[in-house]
Amino acid sequence: MNSMNYQYDVAVVGAGPAGIASACSMSELGLRVLVLDEQARPGGQIYRNIEKAPESRCKLLGSDYTKGACLVNQLRSADLDYRSEAAVWQVEPDGTVFFSHKGESHCVKVERIVVATGAMERPVPFSGWTLPGVMGAGAANNLYKDSGLKPSGKVVIAGSGPLLLLEACQLASSGVEISAILETASAYPSLEALAQLPSALRRADYLVKGVKMLWDIKRTGVPHLKNVKEVRAHGDDKLSKVTAMQNGKAVSFDADSLLVHFGVIPNTAMFSQLGCRHEWDNVQRYWYPVTDTWGRTSLERVFAAGDGTFVHGAGAAELKGRLTALEVAHSVGKLSLSQRDEQAERIQKKLARELSPRPFIDAMFAPDIDACAFDDETLVCRCEHVTVVQIKDAVRQGCTNPNDIKALVRSGMGPCQGRMCGNAIVELLSILTSGKPSDAERLRIRPPLKNVSMQEMASMRFEGGE
């Protein structure tokens, strides 16, 4: 492997805002760039299908969506190698990248790797969450971006966060029958949130956008309940009803679809497989890879960009991607330190302004672990069908971290490698043991990160090899 001639200087994993911005910037700086993205078209989840979306769909999704077209156009015209539908299934700290593309696995070795795998909706197990008719609000949004599909019948939306309110507004505008919005956030900002308000006022336009969404929801006449707890989905072979508690009173709504959203967490699977150092955030309650302001991780050849490092939104992700590109170029000798700093100054100012409302937003929509109700039979690990009671039994037998539980009951051992259940198991453990999530050992992620056949591995092509 060490005798390979490098065909590329850097591989970028992910073609969302951060990945595209980083790749295009590095290409402009003279680096040979390979972009690997699992999706059929560039844009990530936020700008999903922006190249093919009809005008009517773009109009409903608004400028926050359509501005992605410019970024995607930059990628299409950049001097780099962009490969769609390329699933990266293993990455090594020495710069080796394994990926599956069009039924064949490939291996490349590069000087630097930029991981820009973005974020994902926080999976939260609750009673009835596996019933047909229950899905993530973000997933429903992706279906609309891809093909214009909208939920039919009576829809209940539950959870918290600005994306939940945005989804509610867009569904209402498109004529979907919304029975209720069950918001788990408090009706009033916490003291922690209010303390961050002065900084947030630097981006008053964000706050105005939030107020407008609340006003638009109020105008629809849809019941909008706040401070909701213990959300449950009910039904036999499909969803029929959603129940919850609000201020000590039970509420119930007939429903054909329940769209849930409990915030967004970094997609850390690749960082974990690499062995990057992580920390726990007590406000947003998730693990994130530790990086400096340039996207350097704890591994010399591995850089990070965008929401995969910490969730700050698409605008910040793009700027972080451009900063990471400058640092990568500096690290391989394409830019001097003074050139890096000079080019970074304008980007850093924009990023500081973009980040100014985030502490307020994060505190305002801090996850509430009591938001959902679960029973002993509630599934936690959907891949391996591991229930709450099995986790409890494992703890009673002395398991005190997710990896011990994994060894005993196989939770996190399925195809998703714990992406869906890892965070939930940490939260469940903290409840059962009265411990802190930050003290728990993180779930170990092993390759392959994606499903790939042994036959494909055996016939793997080594690009730029001997």
Side-chain angles (χ1 to χ4, degrees):
M1 200 70 74
N2 290 334
S3 62
M4 285 183 176
N5 297 313
Y6 294 175
Q7 184 178 353
Y8 305 100
D9 297 309
V10 57
V12 178
V13 184
I20 294 175
S22 175
C24 292
S25 296
M26 290 188 289
S27 174
E28 290 170 4
L29 292 166
L31 277 76
R32 297 166 298 171
V33 181
L34 170 66
V35 181
L36 301 170
D37 187 52
E38 196 170 8
Q39 301 300 320
R41 287 181 283 274
Q45 303 303 325
I46 186 72
Y47 303 136
R48 193 180 182 93
N49 199 36
I50 185 65
E51 293 175 303
K52 301 290 184 182
E55 186 176 344
S56 58
R57 210 176 297 162
C58 289
K59 185 177 179 181
L60 188 140
L61 293 170
S63 60
D64 285 343
Y65 175 65
T66 55
K67 65 184 179 185
C70 179
L71 199 58
V72 170
N73 288 338
Q74 285 180 33
L75 179 75
R76 292 294 191 189
S77 58
D79 182 18
L80 49 75
D81 186 356
Y82 160 66
R83 301 192 199 184
S84 60
E85 299 181 275
V88 176
W89 51 265
Q90 185 173 347
V91 182
E92 294 298 321
D94 68 354
T96 307
V97 180
F98 301 87
F99 64 97
S100 176
H101 185 228
K102 296 182 178 177
E104 288 187 343
S105 271
H106 304 251
C107 172
V108 295
K109 190 165 184 181
V110 293
E111 289 280 358
R112 299 289 185 266
I113 300 168
V114 175
V115 181
T117 45
M120 55 185 279
E121 286 192 296
R122 180 193 306 271
V124 176
F126 60 92
S127 180
W129 77 310
T130 56
L131 279 170
V134 182
M135 66 186 303
N141 187 264
N142 285 345
L143 287 174
Y144 183 73
K145 289 173 179 172
D146 269 338
S147 54
L149 286 175
K150 296 179 288 188
S152 58
K154 295 177 180 177
V155 177
V156 172
I157 302 173
S160 72
L163 293 180
L164 182 90
L165 301 177
L166 178 63
E167 179 67 6
C169 289
Q170 291 176 346
L171 288 174
S173 298
S174 64
V176 170
E177 181 186 355
I178 303 176
S179 298
I181 301 168
L182 308 179
E183 195 172 348
T184 57
S186 172
Y188 303 101
S190 64
L191 291 176
E192 291 80 7
L194 288 174
Q196 303 295 339
L197 186 57
S199 173
L201 291 174
R202 290 180 61 196
R203 287 303 305 266
D205 55 324
Y206 274 20
L207 302 183
V208 169
K209 187 186 296 183
V211 171
K212 183 178 183 306
M213 284 195 294
L214 292 172
W215 175 245
D216 287 345
I217 289 171
K218 187 174 182 179
R219 285 197 306 170
T220 64
V222 172
H224 182 185
L225 282 58
K226 297 188 176 181
N227 199 28
V228 168
K229 311 284 186 190
E230 300 182 30
V231 176
R232 295 175 187 266
H234 304 266
D236 294 324
D237 56 350
K238 64 178 183 178
L239 177 74
S240 60
K241 185 172 67 175
V242 178
T243 62
M245 299 295 291
Q246 188 206 23
N247 299 327
K249 292 177 61 178
V251 295
S252 175
F253 297 91
D254 293 337
D256 300 296
S257 298
L258 169 61
L259 308 183
V260 293
H261 179 84
F262 297 100
V264 178
I265 62 176
N267 184 353
T268 60
M270 194 166 293
F271 297 106
S272 297
Q273 185 258 299
L274 274 158
C276 295
R277 190 164 72 86
H278 284 67
E279 287 186 356
W280 174 264
D281 181 69
N282 275 324
V283 177
Q284 280 296 304
R285 304 186 72 82
Y286 55 59
W287 291 103
Y288 63 95
V290 176
T291 65
D292 64 12
T293 56
W294 301 95
R296 276 190 177 275
T297 69
S298 57
L299 302 175
E300 182 183 356
R301 292 175 182 267
V302 181
F303 292 71
D307 282 355
T309 59
F310 206 97
V311 179
H312 289 137
E318 180 181 340
L319 295 168
K320 288 193 284 187
R322 298 198 186 282
L323 284 178
T324 299
L326 294 176
E327 179 62 4
V328 171
H330 170 59
S331 73
V332 297
K334 292 286 185 182
L335 286 178
S336 67
L337 189 63
S338 61
Q339 287 173 323
R340 182 203 70 175
D341 291 347
E342 183 182 354
Q343 294 188 35
E345 187 176 356
R346 184 175 54 86
I347 302 171
Q348 289 167 327
K349 286 180 180 177
K350 283 185 177 180
L351 181 59
R353 187 166 182 271
E354 190 71 27
L355 296 181
S356 58
R358 290 308 308 191
F360 173 76
I361 294 171
D362 287 350
M364 183 77 189
F365 297 106
D368 179 2
I369 58 174
D370 297 324
C372 295
F374 52 79
D375 306 311
D376 279 353
E377 298 309 314
T378 300
L379 278 181
V380 179
C381 172
R382 300 175 73 144
C383 297
E384 295 293 326
H385 296 271
V386 179
T387 61
V388 169
V389 72
Q390 288 175 280
I391 304 286
K392 287 181 176 178
D393 286 343
V395 171
R396 275 195 286 268
Q397 292 180 53
C399 296
T400 56
N401 69 69
N403 293 303
D404 289 346
I405 295 172
K406 177 181 178 179
L408 193 65
V409 301
R410 296 184 59 83
S411 52
M413 208 175 281
C416 89
Q417 289 264 18
R419 284 189 292 276
M420 292 294 290
C421 65
N423 222 65
I425 291 173
V426 168
E427 294 284 14
L428 195 52
L429 260 176
S430 70
I431 294 171
L432 296 174
T433 64
S434 301
K436 296 178 181 177
S438 55
D439 293 336
E441 188 178 280
R442 282 186 308 110
L443 197 62
R444 282 190 289 271
I445 305 293
R446 303 184 190 282
L449 292 168
K450 304 291 180 180
N451 292 336
V452 58
S453 70
M454 292 295 291
Q455 181 182 10
E456 194 178 311
M457 284 186 183
S459 57
M460 185 161 51
R461 294 181 56 198
F462 292 82
E463 299 188 15
E466 301 90 337

